[in-house]
């Protein structure tokens, strides 16, 4: 499986230059692969922590298209989208925040489903990203 490995400063420069040569469609595929795994894990942790009243919060979790930042790096944003149908002024992201950190005055304990979901999936996220890159690498080697 392809991995980025750095042994020194000159190796780092070469690795970064090689990474910069990866086409946008491949970096997008890598980001999507990691986001899919992260979302699945966050939803699983949310269900395990009983972050479910109507189920809307966990269903609203998704990701946006990859974007390039000012520094040239690409990233993908995982976010809770929309509002609750029964309480239209309350955004899904707010409900997720209340569940993540708790609201003691309302008797809501912290349920860190986002942090725990991502932390539990770090290895799987890296594996999905590596596999996505490996597909690109194998295809390029065939050409």
């Amino acid at each position: 499986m392809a991995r980025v490995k750095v042994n020194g400063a000159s190796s780092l420069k070469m690795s970064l230059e090689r990474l910069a040569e990866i086409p946008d469609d491949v970096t997008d595929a890598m980001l999507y692969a990691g986001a899919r795994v992260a979302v699945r894990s966050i939803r699983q942790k949310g269900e395990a922590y009983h972050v479910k009243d109507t189920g809307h919060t966990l269903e609203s979790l998704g990701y946006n298209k990859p974007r390039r930042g000012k520094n040239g790096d690409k990233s993908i944003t995982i976010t809770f989208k929309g509002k609750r149908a029964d309480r239209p002024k309350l955004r899904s992201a707010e409900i997720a925040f209340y569940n993540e950190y708790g609201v003691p005055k309302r008797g809501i304990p912290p349920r860190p489903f986002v942090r725990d979901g991502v932390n539990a999936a770090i290895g799987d996220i890296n594996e999905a990203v590596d596999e996505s890159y490996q597909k690109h690498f194998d295809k390029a080697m065939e050409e």
Side-chain angles (χ1 to χ4, degrees):
M1 196 171 291
R3 293 205 183 268
V4 176
K5 185 175 179 182
V6 178
N7 294 322
S10 61
S11 175
L12 172 63
K13 182 178 179 187
M14 185 182 75
S15 294
L16 292 174
E17 287 170 355
R18 291 187 74 197
L19 284 173
E21 295 173 5
I22 298 173
D24 281 345
D25 63 322
V26 175
T27 56
D28 289 355
M30 293 166 67
L31 290 168
Y32 281 128
R36 281 191 296 272
V37 173
V39 166
R40 183 173 52 245
S41 182
I42 294 167
R43 283 183 178 153
Q44 288 171 345
K45 284 295 182 186
E47 289 173 6
Y49 290 163
H50 306 290
V51 177
K52 188 172 185 175
D53 181 17
T54 64
H56 174 78
T57 302
L58 296 178
E59 290 171 11
S60 73
L61 183 63
Y63 44 87
N64 298 326
K65 294 189 313 188
R67 293 186 180 190
R68 191 171 303 282
K70 292 179 183 177
N71 63 356
D73 291 345
K74 288 191 92 172
S75 64
I76 194 165
T77 303
I78 297 172
T79 185
F80 294 89
K81 301 175 182 183
K83 299 178 181 181
R84 271 183 67 153
D86 61 334
R87 296 178 69 188
K89 291 187 178 183
L90 190 58
R91 296 178 322 176
S92 299
E94 291 175 88
I95 297 168
F97 181 89
Y98 297 151
N99 278 286
E100 183 78 9
Y101 295 101
V103 184
K105 291 180 180 179
R106 292 186 176 173
I108 301 171
R111 300 177 203 130
F113 70 107
V114 175
R115 286 174 286 174
D116 290 355
V118 171
N119 289 335
I122 289 291
D124 293 336
I125 292 168
N126 287 330
E127 189 174 313
V129 170
D130 286 346
E131 286 175 7
S132 180
Y133 177 76
Q134 187 65 44
K135 287 178 189 176
H136 159 70
F137 182 78
D138 291 346
K139 186 176 178 183
M141 295 304 285
E142 290 174 4
E143 295 174 355

